[in-house]
Amino acid sequence: MRKFLLVLVAVFPLSLMAQRWHITGFGGISNYQGDMQEKRITTNQAHGAFGLGAQYDLSGHVSVKGGLMYGTISGDDKFNKQEDLRKRNLNFTSRLLEGNLMAEFRLFDLDEKRLTPYVFAGIAVFGYDPYTYDTLGNKHYLQPYGTEGQGLSTYPDRKPYNRVQVALPFGGGIKFRLNDQVTLGYEIGLRKTFTDYLDDLSKSYVDYNTLLAEKGPVAVELAYRGDELKDGNPLYPADGTTRGGEKVKDWYYFQGITIGYRLFGGRNEFRGGAKGSGRQLDCPRNIF
């Protein structure tokens, strides 16, 4: 009997800690803001996205959470309002895979209230790889072509951009408790990046002959595509002509529905059982 009570005392705190863990899911859309998408938040050119993660409650108001997010971003000059940018005729698509670690703050404790707004922030690492299709429908990943002179000896200050980057995620939303185990929510999460090349577009055009000699005709074709338009300019822009806006870095974001499932059932121990499922969670007294 004494051994049983010792095991009970050891396991009891672990069961309480287990109630703090949640499995989380996300389903919604992903999009980006950059040289081919001027609006910060829009559903125009958005794509489906999903995520999976875990959350640990430090208290009734604060949690730490981490997970993986997968989505797609794209941009196309044909949707641009500015005529000169439409005539540039560039486009891209990229898959995104993100791993993140964040802190979440809820205004209300969901063990006391059924609804609460919340905010979150943290750090993330993501991978991307922009690509496009030529006039024959062939798919080309853009980074190796150095469309703005990246990696060319003539432009030593332009290095190939890394396709794995760090981002700062932050955002907010609202959560609704369906029962003691399940919550539903809606959130918007922005990602501040430190690159201007999510869309393979940032600075200026480089010399036609230099790009042709070092990277080949496909690189030239994908660097400027105005000649593909019926009324487009067939002449490749002069070296140094503005191609993108390098002063502002690119962003990407997710928005959609979240779901959380508390492991091992019941409300957690922060309420001490007073407003939980009705079961008293006080430790047994005088067991020895």
Side-chain angles (χ1 to χ4, degrees):
M1 183 64 179
R2 184 181 182 88
K3 290 183 178 180
F4 172 78
L5 292 175
L6 287 173
V7 171
L8 179 63
V9 171
V11 171
F12 188 71
L14 294 178
S15 66
L16 296 182
M17 291 181 64
Q19 294 176 14
R20 302 188 185 193
W21 283 100
H22 307 254
I23 299 297
T24 61
F26 171 88
I29 61 173
S30 53
N31 210 334
Y32 108 111
Q33 189 271 326
D35 289 297
M36 296 186 213
Q37 177 65 270
E38 296 178 334
K39 294 181 179 180
R40 179 59 55 88
I41 301 291
T42 179
T43 57
N44 182 31
Q45 303 186 70
H47 300 268
F50 62 90
L52 186 66
Q55 175 181 311
Y56 182 77
D57 296 336
L58 298 175
S59 71
H61 296 273
V62 180
S63 300
V64 291
K65 60 183 182 179
L68 296 174
M69 299 287 285
Y70 179 82
T72 301
I73 58 174
S74 68
D76 197 318
D77 279 338
K78 69 182 180 182
F79 297 114
N80 213 304
K81 293 182 178 180
Q82 293 182 234
E83 183 179 1
D84 59 328
L85 297 182
R86 290 198 303 271
K87 290 184 175 181
R88 183 178 58 186
N89 196 38
L90 297 175
N91 67 83
F92 88 101
T93 302
S94 180
R95 312 297 184 196
L96 286 175
L97 179 61
E98 172 194 282
N100 57 58
L101 180 63
M102 296 181 281
E104 176 183 293
F105 175 78
R106 296 174 295 281
L107 182 60
F108 304 119
D109 185 344
L110 282 175
D111 282 340
E112 296 181 331
K113 306 288 186 179
R114 295 191 70 88
L115 189 71
T116 182
Y118 67 97
V119 294
F120 61 87
I123 191 168
V125 176
F126 70 97
Y128 71 106
D129 201 358
Y131 63 87
T132 189
Y133 294 90
D134 62 23
T135 54
L136 298 177
N138 298 311
K139 184 178 182 179
H140 299 277
Y141 286 94
L142 292 164
Q143 193 258 15
Y145 287 109
T147 53
E148 294 189 352
Q150 302 99 323
L152 302 186
S153 57
T154 310
Y155 303 89
D157 60 320
R158 299 192 180 186
K159 307 297 183 183
Y161 54 84
N162 293 322
R163 288 170 287 186
V164 176
Q165 299 272 348
V166 172
L168 299 179
F170 63 93
I174 190 165
K175 287 185 178 182
F176 176 76
R177 176 171 56 82
L178 293 180
N179 54 46
D180 284 357
Q181 287 184 275
V182 181
T183 59
L184 287 178
Y186 182 84
E187 73 174 36
I188 298 177
L190 303 175
R191 269 62 173 173
K192 173 178 172 52
T193 78
F194 300 92
T195 179
D196 195 33
Y197 281 111
L198 291 184
D199 47 19
D200 191 67
L201 176 60
S202 178
K203 303 180 184 297
S204 60
Y205 293 94
V206 296
D207 180 69
Y208 175 94
N209 292 319
T210 301
L211 185 60
L212 178 64
E214 296 199 36
K215 292 293 185 176
V218 175
V220 174
E221 175 187 352
L222 301 179
Y224 174 70
R225 309 189 69 170
D227 56 340
E228 297 175 11
L229 298 174
K230 183 178 180 180
D231 58 346
N233 185 353
L235 299 178
Y236 185 93
D239 185 9
T241 301
T242 298
R243 187 170 184 260
E246 63 179 307
K247 292 184 179 180
V248 180
K249 304 301 183 184
D250 294 336
W251 293 64
Y252 68 95
Y253 53 93
F254 300 98
Q255 58 177 316
I257 303 298
T258 65
I259 185 169
Y261 180 81
R262 175 180 287 163
L263 298 180
F264 308 105
R267 301 189 190 183
N268 64 40
E269 73 274 23
F270 300 124
R271 303 278 64 83
K275 297 183 180 180
S277 59
R279 293 172 300 190
Q280 182 66 31
L281 296 181
D282 291 337
C283 292
R285 300 178 181 178
N286 301 321
I287 61 175
F288 296 111

